[in-house]
Amino acid sequence: MYRLLSLCCVLFVYASSAIAADKPNIVIMLPDNLGYGDIGAYGGGELRGAPTPNIDRLAAEGIKLTNFNVEPECMPSRSALLTGRLPIRSGTSRVPLPGHPQGMTRWEYTLAELLGDQGYVSGHFGKWHLGNEQGRLPNDQGFDEWWGFPQSSGETINETQPGFEVGLLPTQPIYEGYRGQPSTVVGEYTYEIRPQMDEMITDKSVAFINKYAKSDKPFFLYVPFSQPHAPAIPNEAFKSKGGNNYQNVLMEIDHNTGRILDALEQAGVAENTIVIWASDNGPETHQGVNIPYGAQGDSGPFRAEFPSAWEGALRTPGIIRWPGRIKAGRISNEIVSILDFYPTLATLSGGGKFVPTDRPIDGVDLTDFLLGKTENSPREHALFFFGDDMLAMKWRNFKVHFIVHAPALGAVRQAGQGVTTSYRQELVLPWVFDIEADPKELWNINASSTWVGGASFKYLNGYMKSLKDHPNIKSGERRE
Amino acid sequence: MYRLLSLCCVLFVYASSAIAADKPNIVIMLPDNLGYGDIGAYGGGELRGAPTPNIDRLAAEGIKLTNFNVEPECMPSRSALLTGRLPIRSGTSRVPLPGHPQGMTRWEYTLAELLGDQGYVSGHFGKWHLGNEQGRLPNDQGFDEWWGFPQSSGETINETQPGFEVGLLPTQPIYEGYRGQPSTVVGEYTYEIRPQMDEMITDKSVAFINKYAKSDKPFFLYVPFSQPHAPAIPNEAFKSKGGNNYQNVLMEIDHNTGRILDALEQAGVAENTIVIWASDNGPETHQGVNIPYGAQGDSGPFRAEFPSAWEGALRTPGIIRWPGRIKAGRISNEIVSILDFYPTLATLSGGGKFVPTDRPIDGVDLTDFLLGKTENSPREHALFFFGDDMLAMKWRNFKVHFIVHAPALGAVRQAGQGVTTSYRQELVLPWVFDIEADPKELWNINASSTWVGGASFKYLNGYMKSLKDHPNIKSGERRE
């Protein structure tokens, strides 16, 4: 039924493509496991040995969100971005183990489908991670064309790990595909290809911009980079940039971001293009064997790392530029979620047409907030899941934890020892933190702030009610 | 002998005050125990529930240092600032226990004396903390006038602590003093005065600016604020700003900063005034009984808190504005120390005249760096002491720890438990961190980077050699 709805819409809009003339193009760049503290505009950059001038400039030209929230892992974040719905509704609440069935429900009506129905041409270049079989690839979920790999950036690249031998597990194909046709294998995502991957993603993205900038259709370009996910191995041109692999890769991401921004400029479409730049989840900070020593991503002023519901996992850079429409240099600490791009872009591109009404949409429309009509985001809460667990809830300046994953960085790693541990604790009583007074989430104020639960739980109740007609899909239980 | 030198200089320069006409005024604002992550321009501000627009604007109009280093405690930092010398040379390497003898050696030739000898009039308004007896107060150390309190901001304000009663220990006087005369007690720094202190400091500072802006002498204004040191109790006007006491106090500091900047503007001297804004050491993050719950200062992306040699203790905001001379909006991660203001201001105000040559000066002259003649700071190392211990050394992007104080925040405070511990560990082998790759100092790379010691220890040797003719003053051993 959903599929049918989508097709109808396509027919409808294609017939009236003229109205699309002034719709903004949309570009979303999404690096993989990049931390809040990795980027100059967010306190990293040169400070952590990796200047990021292009991304910093993008932030200065748009709105810089300092309370931008994602899901705790790659797959759920990508699902949330493309559906506007909590991943627990779509069979994408966890990254499955390698080899296990994976994929978003086929009946999700993705942002690519929605924009397609509004007259957009869409392209996906890079990491998909929402299904690894024919019928579950980007061109099956609304993208007109794609090139990239279906699983995780590091899932099949294990050459840096002791004991690994080629042939022990399946390799990962590189696909090319077009809507309405099966995807074609055009290569293999190998260890040798790993340092070239983001350059190739950028090449394809630039070509897409050049191809469609002059068309009469607006375009939606989704660029899920493969870096700096482990193994972070820089491109040849970035091997000697003066940092370790991770630092050099950050500089490479900045360079690739700059290439895409330049392509928009040179194609003359920068003015009418909404550019979104964010990460899919907080950093990996654990010592990787692929770099001379540890210290990869940085979570900035926040606690811990992915995957957890600490701010270090959930808050990433979040930048949105739309020249002349979104005020340059604006900085906001309002709560925004990766879920919100779906309804917001639906409005900015077509007045909200085609947003499904037959299923819960968890994103909220940020249009008035982004365009400066309101100071406040319409979102005052966010729920955070991991698999079937609801880990935590954010409400205004408070955070309520129900289940805790992995303690703070400092606690799991005795200084200089490099010991990494991880655990899951169900709390007897929730922990409550004031994440403005206490950005590092160190002081549980539950006892003095029991009212927070009462005031915030209306959102929890709203979610629980939505499950009645639309039950979640259990983690690991893939559906059609 | 030093005293005599100083007097000679005074005579010399007073006779040629005409040459001072275009010397820049100098304003140094120094809040007490404010953390790197507390200020908007450094990733805090609104994010931590306390917008700091005035300080952020100051940063945007000048150079924002992201690797600005101070001493681990109040007294040593203030000593370093005013002498350009490691505090361990001046009897100021530790904050003494209340009631114990305290004070900088009387023969130090302070920045106030040096600038005075160059024709400046100087004022000190706020916290001194370099001696609490007549003969050791600011007007005995070169300031032409002063108003404030001699000891620490919280040392005698204990009303918020359980069990404390007024009368159990001496109160602290508020002094007013003029050079060449004994200081006069003009009040008592009581619990009732505590929330008014910074407002009074600001009033006096603004009056000083107005008084000397039109004089033919340049001025040196030193504003050591008393906040946000515990107990952080906001002024009446800031009690209802929406945050807890600490957050409200941050907003008050920003407001007071704005008042001083406005006074410079309105007096028409902003253009020819060097404004320095920094903290004396990293934050207190421990739970205070004076606020509803914990979470006071924030160390931003860095580990731990004061007093220690972790970056969270040593790196604070460091902003320098000089319109038309220091490029607006410049951001630098070059190593700079609070020791460096002394020789730098000596140069910027008078070509380096009067910098003593009879004793080691540990600060380096940043003039070319600040004026943009060089990208790099001439400083590539810093040594960090606590009492008689050398705790650590910073060299380029490396940090070598010899003795460790207090583990990382997360390690001492089990999430939500509010447990604070502290310890001192002599390391069997030094720990080495790459503080760019690893800003949180989590990964000891000593084993793979033994060369760092060899390359960096020339600075350690230089320091050791300087002790031969100029032995340190043992902690607690006050000298004349």
Side-chain angles (χ1 to χ4, degrees), chain B residues 421-435:
Chain B
T421 63
S422 183
Y423 61 66
R424 175 186 180 281
Q425 279 188 335
E426 286 196 46
L427 301 175
V428 177
L429 288 175
W431 285 344
V432 180
F433 299 95
D434 180 333
I435 53 174

Side-chain angles (χ1 to χ4, degrees), chain A residues 86-117:
Chain A
L86 290 167
I88 199 160
R89 306 187 191 277
S90 317
T92 49
S93 63
R94 282 256 19 219
V95 172
L97 291 172
H100 287 229
Q102 53 180 258
M104 188 167 69
T105 49
R106 294 155 58 99
W107 49 260
E108 287 293 347
Y109 179 67
T110 70
L111 185 59
E113 287 168 307
L114 184 150
L115 292 173
D117 289 345

Side-chain angles (χ1 to χ4, degrees), chain A residues 36 47-49 247 285 287 293 295 298 300-301 303 333 413 415-416 418 431 434 436-440 442-445, chain B residues 36 47-49 247 285 287 293 295 298 300-301 303 333 413 415-416 418 431 434 436-438 440 442-445:
Chain A
Y36 187 98
L47 179 136
R48 52 109 64 256
Q247 292 168 313
T285 71
Q287 185 156 25
Y293 43 82
D298 195 278
R303 177 168 177 167
N333 198 47
R413 300 201 186 86
W431 285 345
D434 180 334
E436 288 186 356
D438 177 19
K440 291 186 170 56
L442 294 169
W443 306 105
N444 175 14
I445 55 168
Chain B
Y36 187 98
L47 180 136
R48 52 109 62 259
Q247 291 167 313
T285 70
Q287 184 156 27
Y293 43 82
D298 195 279
R303 179 169 174 165
N333 197 47
R413 298 200 189 88
W431 285 344
D434 180 333
E436 289 184 356
D438 177 20
K440 291 187 169 56
L442 294 170
W443 304 106
N444 175 14
I445 56 168

Side-chain angles (χ1 to χ4, degrees), chain A residues 135-436:
Chain A
R136 293 180 178 275
L137 297 172
N139 54 336
D140 305 308
Q141 293 280 16
F143 285 96
D144 292 308
E145 52 185 275
W146 87 290
W147 179 97
F149 53 97
Q151 294 160 226
S152 181
S153 298
E155 194 172 325
T156 54
I157 307 291
N158 298 277
E159 277 79 347
T160 56
Q161 296 176 29
F164 175 78
E165 290 165 30
V166 173
L168 287 176
L169 73 166
T171 57
Q172 188 170 183
I174 297 174
Y175 280 115
E176 183 175 85
Y178 297 90
R179 201 172 181 185
Q181 303 164 31
S183 294
T184 316
V185 176
V186 294
E188 208 172 286
Y189 179 30
T190 61
Y191 184 71
E192 287 65 39
I193 291 292
R194 207 278 169 270
Q196 301 169 44
M197 181 49 78
D198 273 17
E199 184 185 17
M200 293 193 289
I201 290 170
T202 306
D203 288 346
K204 298 279 178 186
S205 300
V206 168
F208 180 87
I209 291 169
N210 291 334
K211 184 170 164 193
Y212 291 105
K214 292 194 178 64
S215 101
D216 61 350
K217 282 188 187 182
F219 63 77
F220 166 42
L221 168 62
Y222 175 41
V223 191
F225 289 121
S226 72
Q227 303 270 25
H229 193 297
I233 307 173
N235 189 281
E236 189 63 35
F238 286 82
K239 277 198 169 129
S240 309
K241 288 289 177 184
N244 65 16
N245 275 359
Y246 190 85
Q247 292 168 313
N248 291 339
V249 157
L250 286 181
M251 291 185 260
E252 184 186 343
I253 292 171
D254 183 73
H255 171 80
N256 289 331
T257 299
R259 280 188 63 202
I260 289 170
L261 296 177
D262 288 349
L264 292 173
E265 199 71 52
Q266 283 156 22
V269 295
E271 287 299 306
N272 196 31
T273 299
I274 299 170
V275 176
I276 294 173
W277 201 100
S279 181
D280 62 340
N281 49 248
E284 309 169 64
T285 71
H286 40 279
Q287 185 156 25
V289 288
N290 60 308
I291 48 174
Y293 43 82
Q296 300 202 348
D298 195 278
S299 58
F302 302 116
R303 177 168 177 167
E305 65 187 302
F306 107 107
S308 70
W310 296 107
E311 290 295 287
L314 300 176
R315 261 202 247 200
T316 80
I319 300 166
I320 311 169
R321 183 185 81 175
W322 191 10
R325 304 294 297 273
I326 293 175
K327 195 183 164 200
R330 186 171 166 203
I331 302 173
S332 174
N333 198 47
E334 290 289 298
I335 302 175
V336 169
S337 164
I338 195 167
L339 290 161
D340 302 337
F341 291 133
Y342 184 95
T344 304
L345 292 174
T347 295
L348 294 177
S349 61
K353 269 204 303 259
F354 307 127
V355 173
T357 54
D358 60 350
R359 64 196 84 183
I361 298 291
D362 302 293
V364 299
D365 185 347
L366 302 174
T367 300
D368 287 351
F369 166 68
L370 292 180
L371 299 185
K373 292 179 190 163
T374 60
E375 270 297 302
N376 299 116
S377 150
R379 173 180 286 282
E380 65 166 18
H381 89 293
L383 303 174
F384 300 105
F385 297 84
F386 188 80
D388 302 321
D389 291 338
M390 181 183 287
L391 296 187
M393 172 174 185
K394 182 179 282 195
W395 175 72
R396 295 189 180 172
N397 55 316
F398 296 103
K399 181 100 162 276
V400 184
H401 288 261
F402 309 106
I403 296 172
V404 165
H405 283 200
L409 297 176
V412 287
R413 300 201 186 86
Q414 291 300 317
Q417 304 310 305
V419 180
T420 302
T421 62
S422 183
Y423 62 66
R424 175 186 179 281
Q425 280 187 335
E426 286 196 47
L427 302 175
V428 177
L429 288 175
W431 285 345
V432 180
F433 299 95
D434 180 334
I435 52 174
E436 288 186 356

